[in-house]
Amino acid sequence: MASDRSAGAQGRRAGPLIVTEDEALLDDLLRLCAAAGAEPEVHHSVPERRSGWESAPLILVGDDAAVRVRGAARRRGVLLVGRDQDDPGVWQRAVEIGADHVLRLPDAEQWLVDRIADAAEGVGRQALTVGVVGGRGGAGASTLACALAVTAARAGRRTMLIDGDPLGGGLDVLLGGEQAEGRRWPDFAASRGRVAGGALEESLPHLHALRVLSWDRGDSVAIPAEAMRAVLAAARRRGGVVVVDLPRRVDDAVAEALAQLDLGLLVVPAELRAVAAANRVASSVGMVLRDLRAVVRGPYAAGLDEQWVAAALGLPLAGELPVEYGLLEAQEKGAPPGSEVRGPLSRFCTAFWEQALTGGAVA
């Protein structure tokens, strides 16, 4: 018979099957499931419904219940959990029930939270993660980041846009959603360890068919490196595509973001001063990110073209970004970058995703 102690938070994904009568251990396991954003099903022995044992994404068997599950079907994902660090018989019980691992609490708590979250979310292909950085101020990196996200979402891909530049004014403003309900970066500033991907996605503002993590209008202007690592890892586990708008400076938080990118796009206006500035940015970013590519934006100064700019930076050319007239006027009317399907910005982004998602843009 199922216990009435299972977590009841609505909106959480299905979690593990817990088998125990140990009240103290059950309290610990329910707390860890809550931390992983998962809702468990609790039984005192093998469920009468055979499918409950066989279909659970993960099974946590308490030490006290090992004898009661001996006859259950052998399967992967069974963990034997207890708190006695010096119990010599635990390994024998693990063999008898076919457990993959033996866990002792509290030492294994963080590992177990990660495993529960993986099981609840499912383990699939991670998101293609693209970072965009400007070669100089006003290069148009934020505009391109928004357009990439809008274009991907319009094509039906799961899309998350992350604003990694606290001094950039907020990508939610570019998307016309500064008043939209949802969490912003200051809500995640204390994040450590693991953030549940599903909970992250559901908590963010939903704009133009994508999720966006941006800034509020407060005074906070720093992302701790640990928070950037945890949040971006959670976003990537959801699959689809993740676009990250990055500042030109490389601090600890930006380095964490760069380390998780599949590729980076350096937006460079086609003028000599911009190329000189972009060269310094490329040098800093390239110390962390292996795959950095140039996006050259017109209009062009005399004697320059996109091939010359990319060669001067020593970077592969990701493409030429033509001028899109009327972009600012469209944004003032609530149309985000990339919303004009036939516009040059949208066409560039569509071509980029077609190549990137078939493997052509990822080394």
Side-chain angles (χ1 to χ4, degrees):
M1 179 177 178
S3 165
D4 60 2
R5 300 272 321 270
S6 59
Q10 291 193 359
R12 288 179 181 166
R13 295 174 173 266
L17 173 66
I18 298 175
V19 183
T20 185
E21 286 185 318
D22 183 328
E23 291 291 320
L25 179 60
L26 179 57
D27 284 341
D28 284 339
L29 295 178
L30 291 177
R31 172 175 54 83
L32 298 179
C33 286
E39 181 178 359
E41 182 179 337
V42 181
H43 290 260
H44 299 316
S45 60
V46 177
E48 294 179 6
R49 180 171 49 87
R50 180 179 176 183
S51 62
W53 176 271
E54 294 179 351
S55 65
L58 192 69
I59 299 177
L60 310 179
V61 178
D63 266 350
D64 64 292
V67 67
R68 297 194 295 278
V69 302
R70 280 180 183 168
R74 294 297 177 105
R75 51 154 289 173
R76 299 289 300 271
V78 176
L79 310 179
L80 184 61
V81 187
R83 289 192 303 275
D84 186 349
Q85 303 285 341
D86 302 314
D87 182 358
V90 65
W91 299 106
Q92 178 62 35
R93 294 194 295 278
V95 170
E96 290 172 351
I97 67 172
D100 294 340
H101 296 277
V102 173
L103 306 179
R104 304 286 88 181
L105 302 183
D107 292 355
E109 284 192 356
Q110 186 56 58
W111 187 92
L112 183 53
V113 168
D114 289 348
R115 186 69 182 270
I116 292 169
D118 281 340
E121 292 180 2
V123 179
R125 184 176 180 179
Q126 287 199 329
L128 175 64
T129 306
V130 178
V132 185
V133 60
R136 65 156 169 79
S142 296
T143 297
L144 178 57
C146 284
L148 285 168
V150 167
T151 306
R154 186 170 59 233
R157 301 183 181 102
R158 169 179 268 145
T159 305
M160 191 175 296
L161 175 62
I162 296 179
D163 189 349
D165 186 357
L167 300 180
L171 293 185
D172 54 350
V173 176
L174 267 180
L175 294 170
E178 59 268 29
Q179 301 300 323
E181 292 186 2
R183 301 178 72 181
R184 264 68 173 183
W185 261 120
D187 297 314
F188 297 97
S191 296
R192 300 291 187 275
R194 183 187 180 106
V195 173
L200 170 68
E201 184 177 37
E202 292 166 9
S203 72
L204 299 179
H206 189 245
L207 302 169
H208 306 284
L210 61 93
R211 298 286 180 171
V212 57
L213 175 55
S214 189
W215 292 87
D216 62 10
R217 312 282 83 87
D219 295 331
S220 178
V221 292
I223 307 172
E226 297 85 352
M228 177 64 81
R229 181 190 310 124
V231 167
L232 192 49
R236 297 183 71 212
R237 287 196 302 273
R238 298 298 290 163
V241 299
V242 174
V243 181
V244 188
D245 182 33
L246 294 168
R248 298 190 306 282
R249 69 184 187 285
V250 179
D251 57 16
D252 290 344
V254 173
E256 288 289 350
L258 292 171
Q260 295 198 52
L261 298 182
D262 293 303
L263 62 96
L265 299 177
L266 180 66
V267 183
V268 188
E271 57 184 58
L272 288 176
R273 289 187 63 194
V275 173
N279 190 59
R280 291 190 291 272
V281 176
S283 178
S284 298
V285 170
M287 294 178 67
V288 183
L289 178 61
R290 180 176 61 87
D291 191 352
L292 180 65
R293 306 186 179 200
V295 174
V296 182
R297 180 172 68 80
Y300 290 85
L304 302 188
D305 61 22
E306 66 275 14
Q307 298 290 345
W308 186 92
V309 172
L313 295 170
L315 298 176
L317 178 64
E320 175 191 5
L321 190 60
V323 176
E324 180 161 338
Y325 298 102
L327 188 61
L328 291 178
E329 292 81 355
Q331 290 178 29
E332 290 174 357
K333 297 177 181 178
S339 59
E340 176 53 56
V341 177
R342 293 185 174 85
L345 185 56
S346 182
R347 292 200 305 271
F348 173 90
C349 294
T350 298
F352 171 81
W353 287 126
E354 287 175 354
Q355 184 181 23
L357 291 166
T358 57
V362 183

